[in-house]
């Protein structure tokens, strides 16, 4: 199951690392910018916290350019937030699993 809608309405989302273009290493170990259908992906690190809870840092892939003006410490909201579970075997034969967060975009908190 992929792209499960997520309701983060009861949480405060604070930028831990400002949005940047998403990159990955190619087969030769060089950094390359991630694009899907010619559209550059971005990534942002957010600290997610609700009242009375400790909080958690997550990385979110953004499907659109968030634009200028997003800085560390700023409260934001995700547009069309989703999560996808994943599990795979890496090159060492270990099983790696987790949750990948994605959103259409980012906007300042109201």
């Amino acid at each position: 199951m992929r792209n499960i809608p997520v309701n983060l309405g009861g949480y405060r989302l604070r930028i831990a690392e400002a949005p940047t273009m998403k990159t990955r290493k190619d087969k030769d170990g060089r950094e390359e910018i991630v694009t899907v259908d010619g559209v550059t992906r971005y990534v942002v690190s957010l600290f997610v916290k609700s009242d009375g809870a400790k909080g958690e840092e997550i990385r979110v892939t953004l499907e659109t350019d968030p634009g200028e003006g997003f800085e560390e410490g700023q409260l934001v909201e995700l547009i069309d937030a989703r999560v996808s579970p994943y599990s795979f075997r890496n090159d060492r034969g270990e099983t790696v699993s987790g949750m990948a967060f994605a959103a259409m975009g980012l906007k300042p908190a109201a």
Side-chain angles (χ1 to χ4, degrees):
M1 186 178 271
R2 299 187 51 81
N3 293 317
I4 303 165
V6 177
N7 180 353
L8 296 170
Y11 295 86
R12 287 187 309 281
L13 309 176
R14 188 175 303 276
I15 295 177
E17 290 180 31
T20 59
M21 284 188 274
K22 187 172 183 173
T23 61
R24 67 174 164 229
K25 295 196 186 280
D26 67 12
K27 61 182 176 166
D28 298 321
R30 293 184 300 242
E31 292 274 324
E32 65 180 6
I33 295 171
V34 175
T35 61
V36 176
D37 297 328
V39 178
T40 301
R41 297 294 194 228
Y42 290 78
V43 66
V44 63
S45 290
L46 301 175
F47 188 72
V48 181
K49 185 173 181 358
S50 68
D51 292 332
K54 190 172 182 179
E56 186 79 30
E57 187 171 328
I58 63 172
R59 291 181 60 83
V60 181
T61 297
L62 303 173
E63 296 175 357
T64 59
D65 182 349
E68 299 294 320
F70 291 103
E71 300 176 5
E72 188 175 319
Q74 181 178 358
L75 290 173
V76 295
E77 295 176 14
L78 293 172
I79 300 167
D80 189 23
R82 301 171 314 282
V83 65
S84 295
Y86 63 85
S87 183
F88 64 91
R89 283 205 182 278
N90 65 16
D91 295 340
R92 295 184 299 250
E94 303 164 326
T95 299
V96 179
S97 57
M99 303 292 275
F101 288 87
M104 183 58 71
L106 189 66
K107 65 181 184 178

